[in-house]
Structure formats: C-alpha cells, structure tokens
Amino acid sequence: MKNGIHPNYHEVDVVCACGETFKSKSTVNGDTIRVEICNKCHPFYTGKRKMVDSSGRVDKFKKKFNME
C-alpha cells in the first residue's frame, strides 16, 4: 500500500436515536457517528411493523384491487 493516500481508519462510537450505542470502524472524522435507526429499533428486526397511511393510500389500494 502507498503511504499517505489512505484515509484514517479508526474506531468510532455509533449512537442511535433510540439510545443504543455500539462500536464500529470508520473513516469519518470524529469519534461519534449518530444514526436515526439501528437493528434494535428497526421494525424489520423487532417485528413491530408500523404502517403510516397518509391520505388513505392503503384504503385506495385495497379498493382498487378488491382486497377488502
């Protein structure tokens, strides 16, 4: 590897909006990375699916394809 052309790869703390923290490695400057969602609060991993229905889109879809 050539010297002086690679970014600084170091350990950082990742902090989620839910409060979960874990360590990872990154080339981002600083010691902390803040994320909005992680595997502890993501609906896919927790099994808690949330459906956000703005302006009745789900109902329109069901009505269109006779799924009611």
Side-chain angles (χ1 to χ4, degrees):
M1 293 190 343
K2 291 184 180 180
N3 290 330
I5 64 168
H6 300 286
N8 181 17
Y9 188 64
H10 60 281
E11 191 171 272
V12 295
D13 291 320
V14 181
V15 180
C16 178
C18 71
E20 181 70 23
T21 62
F22 57 93
K23 297 215 182 268
S24 184
K25 293 209 175 211
S26 176
T27 58
V28 174
N29 292 335
D31 295 330
T32 305
I33 297 175
R34 298 197 181 276
V35 294
E36 294 177 10
I37 198 159
C38 67
N39 66 332
K40 298 291 183 186
C41 60
H42 193 281
F44 181 79
Y45 297 112
T46 60
K48 297 177 184 174
R49 297 179 71 183
K50 290 189 273 182
M51 186 169 293
V52 178
D53 184 19
S54 58
S55 71
R57 290 183 182 178
V58 174
D59 292 331
K60 285 182 192 177
F61 179 84
K62 287 182 177 180
K63 185 176 179 183
K64 182 177 180 180
F65 293 103
N66 295 325
M67 299 177 89
E68 292 187 77

